[in-house]
Amino acid sequence: MTDVAIAVAAAGVESRARIVAGLIRVTGDWQLAEDCAQEALALALEKWPAEGVPANPGGWLATVARNRAIDVLRRATVERRKLAELAVLTSGAEPAPASDDRLRLIFTCCHPALSLEARVALTLRTVAGVPTADIARAFLVTEPTMTRRLTRAKTKIAQAGIPYRVPSGPALAERLPGVLAVLYLLFTRGYDADGEPAFAGEAIRLARLLAELMPDQPEVRAVLALFLLQHSRRNARRDRDDNLLTLDRQDRTRWDHDAIAEALSLLPAATGPYAVQAHIAACHIADVTDWPRIAALYDRLVTLVPSPVVRLNRAVAHGYAHGPAAGLALLAEARAAGGLDGYPLTVAAEADLTARAGDRERAVTLYEQAAAAAHSDTERRALLARAEELTEEEG
């Protein structure tokens, strides 16, 4: 990639959401806003090699995009009010703070009237600027299929009259968890064993933006802290043969200690669900893992988010804090509560607790069962490797 291409990419990442958000606010036309932003980036790739990178790359892109929008709207003979406001934008005298526009865009993309999948896809495309082809690959569909889904989501926003605004008061408290859930799912899709790493990076970038725009919201800071703590270990999660390494086997010198320090400085009190999870993640990166504290935090989390996966993780934590028998008992309760059938990590957790309880032969069988049901080759290899280690220890 040339220096100019790098400059265009950097300016695009920094400015695209701001440009798109401002144009949507004025024109109400999502497709026009995205097309104009994209055309500005294409023109930069054409002009900047000869003319040089401008002193204010983001401002250059914004002006080009807004001028393009004015041209299109003039030909469409739209109302003069929109043209006048676009002209003001182009002159640099913004009628509304850019931060307001970006918050509006995030909250609109994450509106509960849309399905969770549509919210994630629309956030990736409109706020993060991820190419449709990459989003389609992550969702295991074709690019035309994803294009249609995105179009339907935008159409629903228009037809349902979904307001382009940030809610306030009680409505903000109701809507914010939905926005954070989208970022969390986006991060998970990037952080999973065979996920798309760029998605995790985008989730961190968007969480950082949200934290800057909403500094008084503890759960927003908690989400950013959680992402940073998890992502700090990415480079140490695999060995030279690309096999997954458990936390106790990772080379801690390969962790991103700057990200860890930033995350710890952001940690709010462990009150909300994301704050509790961030504190659990912080316990895991400590020099000595405080399993009793982790178990207590999971006791708190299961009252806030009584999901099957939280119940499963709670059982594992208690197994390490209070012995495998305690963990197996809670695992049985979690299974009885439902939602864990067919989930391979449930069997893997039972295998680990069973091995620690001393029944290695049964643990090997359970690891093999979990491997047979694993969703990825990476997880399958890791589970089979653990079964092989136990077999060798038995021998």
Side-chain angles (χ1 to χ4, degrees):
M1 183 179 286
T2 65
D3 290 343
V4 169
I6 292 173
V8 172
V13 167
E14 177 65 25
S15 306
R16 187 185 185 283
R18 184 181 293 108
I19 294 168
V20 171
L23 291 177
I24 290 175
R25 172 173 51 79
V26 177
T27 69
D29 190 327
W30 287 60
Q31 194 59 54
L32 173 65
E34 289 190 66
D35 288 346
C36 290
Q38 193 60 41
E39 288 178 25
L41 290 169
L43 189 62
L45 284 172
E46 177 186 329
K47 296 281 190 180
W48 291 4
E51 300 176 1
V53 178
N56 181 2
W60 188 97
L61 291 171
T63 299
V64 170
R66 290 160 182 168
N67 284 337
R68 174 59 178 158
I70 289 173
D71 289 342
V72 172
L73 292 175
R74 276 178 179 158
R75 289 198 297 272
T77 62
V78 300
E79 60 211 68
R80 292 183 178 180
R81 179 189 60 79
K82 290 183 179 180
L83 291 175
E85 191 165 355
L86 278 169
V88 171
L89 287 175
T90 304
S91 71
E94 303 247 356
S99 61
D100 291 352
D101 283 340
R102 285 177 289 169
L103 271 179
R104 288 189 186 100
L105 184 58
I106 292 172
F107 272 87
T108 305
C109 287
C110 298
H111 196 280
L114 304 174
S115 70
L116 182 57
E117 182 177 280
R119 282 179 257 166
V120 173
L122 197 59
T123 301
L124 280 170
R125 180 72 199 102
T126 310
V127 183
V130 176
T132 303
D134 292 348
I135 302 172
R137 186 169 59 253
F139 282 90
L140 304 178
V141 298
T142 65
E143 184 175 355
T145 296
M146 181 51 66
T147 299
R148 288 192 293 272
R149 290 182 183 178
L150 290 167
T151 300
R152 283 197 297 270
K154 296 171 191 174
T155 301
K156 185 168 185 176
I157 288 172
Q159 293 180 344
I162 293 174
Y164 188 61
R165 66 168 182 254
V166 179
S168 59
L172 177 61
E174 292 175 4
R175 287 280 305 283
L176 184 57
V179 173
L180 298 180
V182 168
L183 296 186
Y184 186 83
L185 181 57
L186 176 56
F187 178 81
T188 301
R189 283 186 175 273
Y191 192 72
D192 280 347
D194 291 318
E196 178 61 52
F199 286 8
E202 285 299 338
I204 291 172
R205 189 176 70 83
L206 292 175
R208 195 185 298 282
L209 171 63
L210 205 59
E212 291 172 358
L213 300 179
M214 307 181 76
D216 59 335
Q217 295 292 330
E219 279 290 84
V220 174
R221 297 201 313 275
V223 161
L224 177 56
L226 175 61
F227 292 173
L228 289 170
L229 287 169
Q230 299 283 44
H231 203 65
S232 69
R233 298 185 283 107
R234 172 173 287 282
N235 291 336
R237 294 178 73 201
R238 297 173 184 265
D239 63 17
R240 293 181 179 179
D241 297 321
D242 205 34
N243 295 312
L244 283 176
L245 295 172
T246 53
L247 185 62
D248 59 306
R249 300 185 180 188
Q250 292 176 11
D251 179 358
R252 291 183 173 229
T253 63
R254 299 186 64 197
W255 290 1
D256 185 343
H257 293 279
D258 289 339
I260 292 172
E262 180 185 358
L264 295 178
S265 72
L266 290 167
L267 275 181
T271 53
Y274 292 107
V276 174
Q277 291 179 72
H279 278 271
I280 291 171
C283 287
H284 280 300
I285 57 93
D287 291 336
V288 178
T289 304
D290 187 348
W291 282 109
R293 173 163 166 73
I294 293 173
L297 287 167
Y298 269 114
D299 289 343
R300 167 68 176 161
L301 184 60
V302 80
T303 67
L304 300 171
V305 187
S307 71
V309 173
V310 170
R311 293 182 187 277
L312 170 62
N313 290 336
R314 175 175 176 247
V316 172
H318 275 265
Y320 278 88
H322 308 299
L328 287 167
L330 285 176
L331 180 58
E333 290 181 12
R335 277 178 159 153
L340 291 175
D341 292 342
Y343 187 51
L345 294 185
T346 304
V347 183
E350 182 183 2
D352 177 65
L353 292 167
T354 300
R356 294 179 56 244
D359 190 348
R360 293 183 178 178
E361 183 177 352
R362 173 163 169 71
V364 168
T365 300
L366 289 169
Y367 272 121
E368 290 173 345
Q369 290 175 3
H375 297 314
S376 72
D377 288 339
T378 304
E379 290 179 352
R380 185 175 299 108
R381 290 198 310 271
L383 292 166
L384 289 176
R386 182 59 182 139
E388 185 176 345
E389 288 176 2
L390 287 176
T391 301
E392 291 175 353
E393 290 174 8
E394 279 288 293

